[in-house]
Amino acid sequence: MKKEPVDICIIGSGAGGAPMALELGRAGFKVVVLEKGPHYQPGDFVHDEILNSRRNFFMPLPWEEPHLVRQGPQGRYERSNAAWTANCVGGGTVHMSGYFYRLKPVDFRLRSTLGAIPGTTVADWPISYEELAPFYDVAEAELGVSGEAVPHPFAEPRSGPYPLPPLDVHPIAHEVDRVCGELGWHSLPTARGIISRPYRGRAGCAYCALCGSYGCEMGAKSGTNASLIPAALATGNVELRPLCMARSVEVDEEGRARSVVYLDADGVEQEQPAKVVVVSCTAVESARLLLNSVSNRFPRGLANGSEQVGRNLVFSSFGESRATFRVSKQKAARPWLLNPAPFVNRSVQDFYLMPDERFGFRKGGTLGFMWTHPNPIFAAVGLAGSGTAGVFGKELKERMRAYRDSRILQFEVYGEFLPTPGTSVTVVPEVKDKYDIPVAAITLDRHPMDFAATRFLVERGEEILLRLEPDDVQRVGTSGETTILQHGTCRFGDDPATSVLNRDCRAHEVPNLYVVDGSFMPTAGSVPSTLTIVANSFRVARGLVARMKQGL
Amino acid sequence: MDRRSFLQRLTFFGGGVVLLGSGACKCSSSSEAPSQAESNVDPARLTFTSAEYALVAAACERILPRDEDPGAKDAGVPVYIDRMLRTPELAQMRRDFVQGVAALERRSHRMFQVGFAQAAPAQQDELLAIFKDSPEGSGEAHFYELLLVLTLEGFLGDPSYGGNQAGVGWKLVGFDTVGSIAMAPPEGWDGPKCLHTCGRHP
Ligand SMILES: Cc1cc2nc3c(=O)[nH]c(=O)nc-3n(C[C@H](O)[C@H](O)[C@H](O)COP(=O)(O)OP(=O)(O)OC[C@H]3O[C@@H](n4cnc5c(N)ncnc54)[C@H](O)[C@@H]3O)c2cc1C
Ligand code: SF4
């Protein structure tokens, strides 16, 4: 059925979609937000690991809605649930941990800083840090971000303090500060998308420890479900339609976006006409939606005349190590190990960029320190191992008892993931999801420099862990990728031959189509990117509002 | 048939997410006839016949045997597995699991001339180790991984799913977050019900 036309139809209510809904609603335009997932309320978020972390409360099951993933163009596709974030109102911001970083000025001009790196498609951004910075301020204030800026060699300039003071941390954070100081490095408070005090009618964090991979029953986590979406709905101009799965964006004869076709909560096909269509389904899913939106005008997919949609996919490089402190052995000297405070909130960015080529790479990244996740099933599956290295019976129970006597500190590496010609998203027409829509197929073709940098960062992190004098340090990995941080599939740039979007995140080929999730980012920085996605979406929204007010 | 390891060990951001992944369902294209077992399910059970149930109970007790601390049976793990495999979305996993149970039973007869549930603990361990160490992608390895993970879920999950009775699993690993710094689920919380109904897409 054809619905009443609106000014703007936004697809996806997460980090990218919500700021657009809020700003356009505030400006008085009529907005419809289509969201494939349900609209959970804080009371729906219950501390039940099976429900939250192990089934499809947040993320789809891989046999109902798979992503196909393969290693290299010769690899075989595997069905996977990699690269999904939560499918519900608020998207991945609902069950994120909320480690919020800004990019640094150098991230906007990586190509000109590093030069051409063979085997990559690294490009500068068409805008600078200075152009985005005011919108980081807006994003931090609208969402509610807690943190403390301290000077260090790679500190990005800021116009003022964070809107909220930092969260309380576990005493071990001060140990991390001490040993980093001994090493001549800088231990930085990690800003969080969590409010440390009551803020704009929301209650402050209760330090419940079940944060990442859970929804927040307090509304203290600054997911768009708790912050921007309620504010958008309060404008009275925004209609949110949960359980509505967009299938395609339709175009008129001139090749302008005309409407969005979607399946509603009852599985019935609907068509929502709009003057402007905004796509924000995550970088992987937005590319899929555009590639599935074929028409006579765009036979290879919407805005894909230059065959750039889905290319230059960028995730985040991942590495991890863990330090185990045996409580029974150490508690006399370090009674604070027993303190249940959940947050460590420390980062090290001294290796964000290397001074020269000596290391075989120039772009390093960030180390983030945290306690391992308390989820017990998750922990026990790890203790049991797998294959011939796996254990059961007495040995497994011994490991579980040893775990009871442990506190485990870990760091994660957020490393540069260089774009390569081989890493991309396409659609495979033969494989469809439960809605009968062809699914996204991801090819990974990693650049060796990423692994060198990640290994280097893991080694530096281990130096820090060892100085804390734990009973054991264990390396988890140095060559992973975090597929929930996704970017690049609809690059923005000034040249329509090499980018999908212009600097306003409007499609070069479709003048009333915008993409505002991580897709626009030619490079992703070496930090988690959600705050950047939100900031950019505020930037794009303000530009769009200005143009629409002038009747463009 | 693709039976790759079904665990997606996603540890980003200390996120603690280990979803049941791709191979959790072998997704055979043939619409298999329901196994004979399905028609004779023990009336007291949801998934298993009484013989299958006895085997599952014995097997998960070898994964987590009672020693100075409670074991899988004390925690109610067999009840958990029987219930969980009834989840409609896990239908293929149920078929895989029941097939694996039959394979384990056959192997026990072949090696020890008794059913798995009647075999001695050392023999049961030997059988489980064979399945565990089978090549990645084999039906045996797939079944072992299902058994292991469902046992750990039943031992350490919310008690409303039928396992972790009296919180014995949480006591063993020292998990006291829920009910102390994290609010316990509301009175009468029914996790399995929410799995079926909360926010389901059409
Ligand atoms: C467990 C976890 C922890 C994380 N922790 C952090 C962290 O600490 N720091 C950080 O910076 N980032 C973190 N992230 C990443 C963060 O979630 C993403 O960067 C962010 O949500 C991406 O924003 P987005 O707008 O692209 O997508 P999302 O916020 O996920 O929004 C996309 C929305 O679009 C909807 N959608 C998709 N397709 C359709 C369709 N066809 N029709 C209708 N709706 C559709 C989805 O349901 C979803 O709600 C974490 C992610 C996860 C999964
Ligand atoms: S109360 Fe705090 S720690 Fe718990 S989920 Fe909410 S924001 Fe995270």
Side-chain angles (χ1 to χ4, degrees):
Chain A
M1 215 184 77
K2 210 162 184 155
K3 301 273 184 186
E4 279 295 299
V6 294
D7 294 315
I8 325 279
C9 180
I10 300 172
I11 310 170
S13 59
M20 291 293 274
L22 175 58
E23 290 294 298
L24 286 147
R26 273 180 182 158
F29 294 104
K30 204 164 157 19
V31 179
V32 161
V33 180
L34 302 175
E35 166 54 56
K36 92 192 265 280
H39 192 177
Y40 293 128
Q41 302 302 321
D44 295 323
F45 299 131
V46 170
H47 296 129
D48 171 342
E49 181 182 0
I50 293 175
L51 180 76
N52 282 270
S53 312
R54 305 184 62 82
R55 295 294 188 276
N56 53 349
F57 184 74
F58 285 128
M59 302 208 238
L61 294 169
W63 52 91
E64 294 189 339
E65 298 177 65
H67 280 151
L68 302 179
V69 181
R70 65 178 178 183
Q71 303 292 333
Q74 260 42 282
R76 210 162 68 80
Y77 280 126
E78 304 276 348
R79 281 168 187 256
S80 166
N81 52 12
W84 278 110
T85 53
N87 286 180
C88 59
V89 171
T93 68
V94 176
H95 66 159
M96 66 174 179
S97 304
Y99 297 112
F100 270 15
Y101 299 80
R102 294 182 176 200
L103 296 189
K104 305 192 177 296
V106 65
D107 291 315
F108 295 71
R109 36 180 166 78
L110 210 55
R111 171 70 174 76
S112 39
T113 306
L114 303 185
I117 304 170
T120 73
T121 55
V122 171
D124 285 351
W125 289 35
I127 62 169
S128 65
Y129 175 80
E130 288 66 32
E131 284 167 86
L132 192 57
F135 300 99
Y136 274 124
D137 296 344
V138 173
E140 288 170 358
E142 295 282 359
L143 291 168
V145 178
S146 304
E148 183 188 0
V150 300
H152 68 100
F154 289 104
E156 64 280 2
R158 302 179 53 92
S159 65
Y162 284 92
L164 288 138
L167 290 149
D168 295 340
V169 291
H170 190 277
I172 200 158
H174 307 302
E175 295 291 300
V176 175
D177 295 343
R178 178 178 59 77
V179 302
C180 285
E182 289 166 14
L183 287 160
W185 303 337
H186 300 76
S187 171
L188 318 169
T190 309
R192 299 293 295 265
I194 293 174
I195 54 176
S196 53
R197 311 215 161 132
Y199 186 67
R200 300 194 177 179
R202 294 160 54 200
C205 174
Y207 298 90
C208 77
L210 298 177
C211 197
S213 97
Y214 286 81
C216 177
E217 81 278 17
M218 305 292 299
K221 197 193 289 184
S222 298
T224 64
N225 58 318
S227 52
L228 309 185
I229 292 288
L233 296 177
T235 65
N237 297 319
V238 178
E239 188 199 337
L240 175 64
R241 291 192 200 140
L243 295 170
C244 290
M245 171 72 180
R247 213 184 58 191
S248 60
V249 178
E250 300 295 317
V251 291
D252 62 19
E253 282 100 61
E254 283 102 76
R256 292 175 62 90
R258 184 187 68 201
S259 64
V260 179
V261 172
Y262 67 95
L263 300 168
D264 72 10
D266 300 315
V268 178
E269 187 172 298
Q270 307 285 355
E271 183 172 1
Q272 177 61 61
K275 288 186 198 143
V276 173
V277 172
V278 177
V279 178
S280 187
C281 305
T282 70
V284 167
E285 288 295 303
S286 290
R288 171 194 180 200
L289 180 69
L290 297 184
L291 293 171
N292 278 330
S293 299
V294 286
S295 56
N296 290 338
R297 177 76 176 65
F298 294 102
R300 290 186 296 233
L302 189 58
N304 195 27
S306 50
E307 296 202 68
Q308 291 296 309
V309 173
R311 285 188 196 272
N312 304 308
L313 170 65
V314 168
F315 292 123
S316 175
S317 289
F318 180 82
E320 181 190 330
S321 298
R322 298 175 171 193
T324 301
F325 300 86
R326 296 271 173 240
V327 176
S328 53
K329 274 206 224 161
Q330 299 227 20
K331 73 172 176 230
R334 298 165 142 181
W336 43 259
L337 274 174
L338 291 164
N339 184 327
F343 297 140
V344 180
N345 285 351
R346 286 296 184 268
S347 301
V348 171
Q349 296 192 312
D350 290 274
F351 311 100
Y352 204 75
L353 195 66
M354 308 309 286
D356 52 48
E357 291 290 347
R358 248 176 315 154
F359 301 92
F361 62 93
R362 289 289 308 282
K363 188 63 197 291
T366 302
L367 296 167
F369 289 82
M370 63 199 70
W371 294 116
T372 53
H373 198 285
N375 266 351
I377 302 170
F378 166 72
V381 169
L383 294 172
S386 65
T388 46
V391 299
F392 64 87
K394 188 80 186 158
E395 171 65 16
L396 177 54
K397 285 191 88 179
E398 290 303 345
R399 290 189 187 181
M400 289 164 82
R401 282 185 279 257
Y403 172 83
R404 177 174 67 204
D405 186 36
S406 306
R407 289 230 68 181
I408 309 171
L409 183 73
Q410 70 177 66
F411 65 79
E412 294 183 339
V413 169
Y414 312 117
E416 195 75 25
F417 183 118
L418 295 170
T420 67
T423 299
S424 63
V425 183
T426 55
V427 292
V428 172
E430 311 82 64
V431 184
K432 294 183 177 166
D433 65 5
K434 65 173 182 180
Y435 303 99
D436 207 32
I437 304 173
V439 304
I442 296 165
T443 305
L444 283 163
D445 197 6
R446 302 289 311 272
H447 196 276
M449 212 178 266
D450 293 349
F451 300 128
T454 307
R455 171 175 294 272
F456 173 88
L457 288 164
V458 165
E459 287 165 356
R460 300 293 76 71
E462 287 173 352
E463 285 187 58
I464 295 170
L465 294 183
L466 284 166
R467 281 197 174 234
L468 295 168
E469 298 178 353
D471 295 287
D472 181 42
V473 171
Q474 192 203 346
R475 185 174 292 186
V476 178
T478 60
S479 57
E481 54 270 324
T482 306
T483 59
I484 49 169
L485 297 172
Q486 35 183 279
H487 330 84
T489 56
C490 299
R491 235 182 211 197
F492 78 157
D494 292 331
D495 179 359
T498 57
S499 57
V500 176
L501 308 172
N502 71 10
R503 60 174 66 209
D504 301 323
C505 288
R506 181 171 76 174
H508 287 299
E509 300 172 20
V510 186
N512 62 339
L513 176 73
Y514 290 77
V515 184
V516 294
D517 49 36
S519 304
F520 75 99
M521 297 166 72
T523 56
S526 308
V527 290
S529 48
T530 306
L531 183 64
T532 300
I533 294 172
V534 175
N536 179 65
S537 181
F538 273 111
R539 181 185 71 89
V540 172
R542 300 243 167 129
L544 177 58
V545 166
R547 282 190 297 280
M548 287 186 69
K549 286 206 162 142
Q550 290 160 18
L552 299 178
Chain B
M1 211 181 293
D2 176 19
R3 287 182 260 184
R4 294 264 312 190
S5 162
F6 68 90
L7 284 179
Q8 311 265 325
R9 287 167 218 266
L10 308 176
T11 62
F12 41 77
F13 301 117
V17 181
V18 182
L19 286 173
L20 290 169
S22 36
C25 152
K26 287 187 294 183
C27 297
S28 47
S29 40
S30 63
S31 54
E32 294 166 43
S35 76
Q36 229 174 347
E38 268 182 79
S39 43
N40 323 302
V41 168
D42 180 334
R45 312 283 165 224
L46 298 165
T47 299
F48 301 125
T49 64
S50 16
E52 287 167 341
Y53 189 82
L55 181 147
V56 172
C60 53
E61 185 68 12
R62 295 318 300 159
I63 300 285
L64 292 174
R66 180 196 288 171
D67 50 13
E68 65 263 38
D69 290 303
K73 282 201 258 184
D74 299 313
V77 169
V79 174
Y80 169 83
I81 297 179
D82 184 58
R83 274 196 205 168
M84 181 49 75
L85 289 178
R86 223 47 222 175
T87 312
E89 290 76 30
L90 304 185
Q92 181 64 43
M93 192 191 293
R94 177 173 76 243
R95 284 192 282 272
D96 292 356
F97 193 87
V98 170
Q99 275 180 22
V101 166
L104 186 57
E105 183 71 357
R106 278 195 306 276
R107 181 73 77 115
S108 178
H109 276 288
R110 217 164 59 227
M111 285 176 60
F112 304 117
Q113 293 75 49
V114 288
F116 184 88
Q118 288 76 44
Q123 296 174 327
Q124 293 173 336
D125 287 354
E126 196 178 333
L127 285 160
L128 288 175
I130 291 172
F131 275 56
K132 173 176 83 68
D133 298 338
S134 293
E136 198 186 320
S138 65
E140 289 82 359
H142 175 64
F143 171 70
Y144 176 80
E145 207 160 13
L146 282 177
L147 175 71
L148 172 76
V149 168
L150 289 169
T151 299
L152 293 174
E153 284 189 357
F155 199 68
L156 296 163
D158 187 85
S160 70
Y161 294 83
N164 190 14
Q165 287 311 301
V168 293
W170 289 347
K171 283 194 197 98
L172 181 74
V173 296
F175 176 75
D176 58 3
T177 306
V178 167
S180 65
I181 58 176
M183 218 187 293
E187 193 70 37
W189 171 246
D190 186 346
K193 178 156 174 253
C194 191
L195 266 190
H196 294 240
T197 55
C198 293
R200 291 299 298 146
H201 304 217

